[in-house]
Amino acid sequence: MMGSLASVYERFGDTYREFECCDTAFRIQATGVRAEAGATAARKTAESLEAQLNAFDEASAVSQLNREGEVRNEHVAQIVRRGIEYNDRTDGVFDIHQGRVEHDLKTFLRGDSETLPTEFDAGTVQISGSHITTDVELDLNGLAKGYIVDRTAETLTGLGRCGFVSGGGDMSPPTGPVAIESPYGDDTPLKVLDTDWYVATSGGYRRSRNGTDHVYDPTTESLGSRHESVTVVAHRDCMEADALATTLAALPLAKARELASEWEGLEALIIHDGVFHTTDGFETHVLDT
């Protein structure tokens, strides 16, 4: 009898996993047929992609690209293509050509350096299939975590099985209500979302040191998020939510609101000087209370 029950649970169950990935806590929840196996495969996907995309791992494909100027990797190629798209659509605010800036800034935030980046780079990148060549170090950080969430969620979902992946503030479509964390250190959520779109949150409160955080705007050569918090819900995928949350965090309030309002398939909540600013359709993704 016990063996029969175990067999049923393996075929149909509810599984939760939490592990470290991309310098944050990843959470996986799977429900349905072979939930345990699905969660295990999803974690392997996340860890495999992190190993290929971690710019601070010398063995990664991204490190090879930045060190040697070329690499063959299908995942890197997909991310670079999207990065070029967003560079064009944001007039250079989202700029993957700033790998040196991103590296120096993260080294400072980790306490491994006392020097902030002072100069921004320009360069070119070309893609042919999975082959990428570049004459400048690339910053794929604003896309990589969203990409990993997307691919992990694809692995998690299967016939008779659904699931949810959260990587820090980046999420696949939630299977239930999710809270937007307050940037002020209290336990009261800013909003509770009820959405079938992808979610990403960015802000200086998550990673900062001496008043400097991980956000930058290469068009003005300025460092630091301009807002306490930015949350984006995107219809396309988590990679888009991730990129646009970062972009809006770097822009002055008026420009951030304009870009968010004009971007199809995107809604945003921007917290600026304690004031909530939302796009017209954001409240349709908020749980009625």
Side-chain angles (χ1 to χ4, degrees):
M1 183 67 174
M2 290 299 293
S4 176
L5 287 174
S7 176
V8 169
Y9 186 78
E10 169 58 23
R11 292 198 305 261
F12 190 92
D14 193 347
T15 299
Y16 176 85
R17 301 279 179 86
E18 182 172 334
F19 57 95
E20 287 296 312
C21 184
C22 304
D23 290 330
T24 192
F26 260 59
R27 297 175 177 87
I28 291 174
Q29 184 171 352
T31 302
V33 176
R34 303 193 72 234
E36 284 278 349
T40 297
R43 176 172 180 171
K44 288 181 179 178
T45 294
E47 292 174 340
S48 172
L49 289 172
E50 180 190 27
Q52 297 173 67
L53 302 176
N54 183 0
F56 277 78
D57 181 351
E58 293 186 359
S60 75
V62 172
S63 288
Q64 180 183 341
L65 176 62
N66 287 338
R67 183 174 60 248
E68 301 176 8
E70 66 175 326
V71 74
R72 291 185 183 273
N73 184 284
E74 60 178 314
H75 303 295
V76 177
Q78 290 185 58
I79 293 172
V80 169
R81 284 192 182 91
R82 191 71 71 88
I84 293 171
E85 174 190 334
Y86 292 142
N87 182 82
D88 293 340
R89 294 180 67 182
T90 64
D91 294 326
V93 178
F94 190 92
D95 184 4
I96 63 171
H97 301 91
Q98 305 300 329
R100 184 184 56 81
V101 171
E102 188 269 344
H103 183 277
D104 292 349
L105 187 54
K106 186 171 285 187
T107 299
F108 173 83
L109 294 176
R110 288 178 169 177
D112 297 330
S113 169
E114 299 301 319
T115 304
L116 284 168
T118 57
E119 296 181 358
F120 288 74
D121 294 324
T124 60
V125 58
Q126 296 180 332
I127 311 173
S128 177
S130 64
H131 185 213
I132 311 101
T133 58
T134 179
D135 59 7
V136 65
E137 292 184 35
L138 300 186
D139 174 13
L140 305 182
N141 195 52
L143 293 165
K145 185 148 65 76
Y147 181 84
I148 291 174
V149 168
D150 287 332
R151 301 290 82 75
T152 301
E154 286 180 0
T155 303
L156 188 62
T157 303
L159 183 63
R161 183 175 66 242
C162 63
F164 169 63
V165 178
S166 171
D170 297 357
M171 305 176 190
S172 65
T175 54
V178 295
I180 301 176
E181 181 181 76
S182 170
Y184 305 116
D186 56 76
D187 295 330
T188 303
L190 299 178
K191 298 277 187 178
V192 178
L193 298 179
D194 184 10
T195 181
D196 58 0
W197 287 17
Y198 299 83
V199 182
T201 297
S202 182
Y205 72 98
R206 288 182 173 272
R207 286 178 288 175
S208 65
R209 180 186 175 212
N210 298 343
T212 299
D213 58 64
H214 68 288
V215 177
Y216 61 83
D217 179 358
T219 64
T220 58
E221 298 194 353
S222 59
L223 303 176
S225 175
R226 296 179 184 268
H227 321 291
E228 288 97 299
S229 174
V230 175
T231 296
V232 162
V233 290
H235 184 260
R236 185 176 184 179
D237 54 22
C238 193
M239 188 157 49
E240 178 144 300
D242 192 9
L244 268 294
T246 301
T247 301
L248 298 181
L251 284 170
L253 180 60
K255 290 185 177 180
R257 296 184 67 182
E258 180 182 9
L259 179 64
S261 296
E262 293 177 350
W263 199 285
E264 186 176 354
L266 181 135
E267 303 293 345
L269 165 65
I270 302 169
I271 312 299
H272 182 86
D273 289 342
V275 180
F276 287 37
H277 301 269
T278 62
T279 51
D280 291 341
F282 185 82
E283 290 298 324
T284 64
H285 297 272
V286 175
L287 180 69
D288 292 331
T289 56

